[in-house]
Amino acid sequence: MIAALALSQPATAQTANAVFEQGLDAYDRGDFSRAAVLFQQSCDNGATNACSNLAVLYMTGQGVGTDPARGIALFDAACRLGSSEGCDNAATARQRAEVARSRSQPVATASTLEGSVQACLDGSQADCVRAGRAYTLGDGVAADPAVARPLMLRACDGGHMNSCSWVGLSLETGDAGPADLAQAAVYYERACDGNILVGGCGNLGRFYELAGDYALALPAYARACTDDTLEYCWLQGQVLHRLGRISEALQLLERSCAADIGSACALLGYTEAGRENWVASSAAYDKACRLGVEAQCAYARQLAGDLERRRAWHAERAAERAEVTRLIQSGNTAGAADYAVYQLRSGPLAHEVVESAVRRNAMGSLNTQTLYVLASWFRDGAVAGAVSAELRGRGTGLEGTFGTGTNQPGMAEARWRAANGGGTSAYSSYRPEPSSTLAPPVLSSADAASQTRSRYRTAHCEMANSPRNSPACR
């Protein structure tokens, strides 16, 4: 019967648990007297197992004098602290003691469930718990809530807080008579106030949550939430989420999801999606799906696909930026500008190229038609000013003076459309949408420059009325 059971204990019982472990070590060494002293200290400080193990020593006379009455009292103490084994041991020991006194009935008859019911009526707290639990759960007998409720009421009044929680549930559901929600709340409160195993607080939180009273549900769940009862942490996180306290909810949802609570993973995925934290959301939805929350499987698959497309899109943009950077660093600023404008249709990259050209004093290397496109894209700001200044500076021959005559941006675009059969204008601004269908940057800088020159000649040297005597057309 000596065993170290891993029951959930509040923080105040940590020292008692440490002393209890020392008592177990002494017991294993055969130092029963030392074990009894340590078990007593730990029991006095609320360690359930210590009370039960000390009771065993008094029942068997190991390390202490044999004292069945003291042993039964200690089993009762363990019972009140929430140990079902303590309740059973107390009831069995009491019945055996009664049989020994009467010497008229065999133990088997005295230890029947009917005997526990009678012992409960005669004042045995442990027998009330034992019989009430049996009739509540159908343990060894047909479940009968109507028989169980008065037994549990006696156990609760005797200080067994788990029984108070069971009474509250019976009053809430009405399975043993008329439901009484007001009284159910009273018994849940009693269980929460005195229940070391925190189940009473969890039931109280659930009761208030179902009633829609989140302000009362939240502190009850907070009292029930421990590392050993993370299901209540998840429910606390759910209430916090409903109250809009997202950052607090996230911490609890992450803990609960890590403990494989599927519903917590589902809500975590939803919450992270709302914060546009797509990677975390996808991982949470995927875990919820694997844990059996089938409603989240479709979200998990969709997000996984979206993330893959997004990763591919970002990889393509990174490759494009890398090519523009390479062209600039190799001294081919014009090629970088043509690549950004004609191949990528990328306003942001074209903007960066012009800024680099200004810093490097390389605006003069940019093709004139490219400058027209840039002037159409950027109508104000420093880049627009730099492009306009370069066009004004060129001001002869084909180019004329920028902003007047046929060479203003609108007319340049019209010439471009005419030369390309009314197709897509080169002036279309870049729209950064996550897509894997954009063409990858495969052209070399030389090819990009050659294609740019070809387009320029088509638009400005081969059309009717074009000034073919321009040096650029020769």
Side-chain angles (χ1 to χ4, degrees):
M1 295 174 68
I2 296 289
L5 302 178
L7 295 180
S8 171
Q9 298 289 341
T12 54
Q14 290 178 354
T15 300
N17 286 338
V19 174
F20 170 61
E21 294 292 337
Q22 295 173 19
L24 286 177
D25 291 339
Y27 184 91
D28 291 339
R29 295 193 307 269
D31 189 351
F32 302 125
S33 297
R34 176 63 177 164
V37 171
L38 293 169
F39 287 157
Q40 184 68 67
Q41 292 176 8
S42 186
C43 178
D44 290 343
N45 285 285
T48 307
N49 293 331
C51 298
S52 289
N53 287 359
L54 182 59
V56 172
L57 296 182
Y58 275 105
M59 297 299 290
T60 60
Q62 292 178 299
V64 292
T66 302
D67 189 343
R70 175 65 175 154
I72 291 172
L74 286 164
F75 278 136
D76 280 334
C79 176
R80 287 192 297 273
L81 289 171
S83 169
S84 297
E85 293 82 2
C87 299
D88 288 341
N89 289 338
T92 299
R94 186 173 286 107
Q95 289 161 6
R96 287 178 176 172
E98 181 63 28
V99 169
R101 283 194 296 272
S102 65
R103 297 182 181 277
S104 61
Q105 295 292 333
V107 172
T109 302
S111 62
T112 60
L113 192 56
E114 291 81 0
S116 284
V117 172
Q118 185 57 53
C120 172
L121 298 176
D122 291 340
S124 170
Q125 164 77 358
D127 281 289
C128 292
V129 176
R130 186 188 198 193
R133 187 175 72 249
Y135 279 107
T136 297
L137 303 176
D139 183 9
V141 67
D144 190 337
V147 173
R149 183 187 284 187
L151 296 169
M152 286 299 187
L153 277 168
R154 285 175 173 267
C156 173
D157 291 339
H160 187 256
M161 295 299 103
N162 277 350
S163 295
C164 296
S165 189
W166 283 339
V167 171
L169 183 61
S170 174
L171 290 166
E172 179 185 352
T173 60
D175 62 359
D180 189 333
L181 296 183
Q183 280 299 301
V186 170
Y187 280 96
Y188 282 142
E189 288 278 6
R190 288 179 63 181
C192 182
D193 289 341
N195 185 8
I196 278 182
L197 299 181
V198 302
C201 294
N203 280 337
L204 180 64
R206 178 194 54 76
F207 176 79
Y208 282 130
E209 182 183 3
L210 291 175
D213 195 336
Y214 300 142
L216 290 178
L218 192 58
Y221 279 143
R223 292 173 66 182
C225 170
T226 72
D227 288 339
D228 296 320
T229 55
L230 285 171
E231 65 274 15
Y232 296 127
C233 301
W234 132 242
L235 293 171
Q236 181 188 359
Q238 180 177 249
V239 171
L240 285 167
H241 191 281
R242 288 174 176 169
L243 292 174
R245 293 161 62 175
I246 303 301
S247 60
E248 296 173 74
L250 274 173
Q251 298 178 26
L252 293 163
L253 295 176
E254 288 169 355
R255 285 175 60 194
S256 304
C257 181
D260 294 341
I261 298 176
S263 298
C265 295
L267 184 55
L268 178 61
Y270 174 82
T271 304
E272 292 290 18
R275 300 168 71 225
E276 297 188 2
N277 190 350
W278 304 115
V279 174
S281 177
S282 178
Y285 275 138
D286 180 65
K287 186 168 185 179
C289 176
R290 287 187 281 109
L291 290 171
V293 188
E294 294 184 2
Q296 308 309 319
C297 294
Y299 292 120
R301 289 191 294 269
Q302 178 183 336
L303 263 182
D306 289 346
L307 281 173
E308 184 57 37
R309 288 189 292 273
R310 184 178 293 269
R311 278 191 289 267
W313 182 86
H314 281 293
E316 291 172 357
R317 302 293 80 73
E320 293 167 357
R321 183 175 295 279
E323 176 63 7
V324 168
T325 300
R326 187 192 68 77
L327 289 168
I328 292 173
Q329 291 178 346
S330 69
N332 189 1
T333 304
D338 294 342
Y339 178 54
V341 169
Y342 300 117
Q343 291 300 119
L344 305 181
R345 308 292 194 267
S346 173
L349 287 178
H351 193 285
E352 292 180 18
V353 172
V354 174
E355 289 180 328
S356 175
V358 171
R359 290 194 302 270
R360 294 168 179 261
N361 196 27
M363 286 295 294
S365 69
L366 270 60
N367 294 304
T368 301
Q369 177 59 25
T370 303
L371 290 171
Y372 278 126
V373 176
L374 293 170
S376 178
W377 281 6
F378 306 110
R379 302 304 178 92
D380 53 38
V383 167
V387 171
S388 296
E390 180 62 30
L391 282 168
R392 283 196 302 270
R394 297 187 182 189
T396 58
L398 171 69
E399 293 79 16
T401 301
F402 176 70
T404 63
T406 61
N407 291 315
Q408 59 185 329
M411 293 305 296
E413 180 174 1
R415 291 198 302 275
W416 181 274
R417 285 180 179 274
N420 288 275
T424 301
S425 171
Y427 294 171
S428 298
S429 295
Y430 176 66
R431 300 183 63 186
E433 297 178 354
S435 171
S436 59
T437 61
L438 296 176
V442 295
L443 289 179
S444 67
S445 59
D447 288 340
S450 175
Q451 289 192 18
T452 298
R453 286 193 297 273
S454 176
R455 292 190 183 96
Y456 180 87
R457 290 179 62 83
T458 299
H460 295 284
C461 303
E462 299 173 10
M463 293 171 57
N465 302 319
S466 294
R468 295 178 175 82
N469 62 340
S470 170
C473 298
R474 296 173 185 169

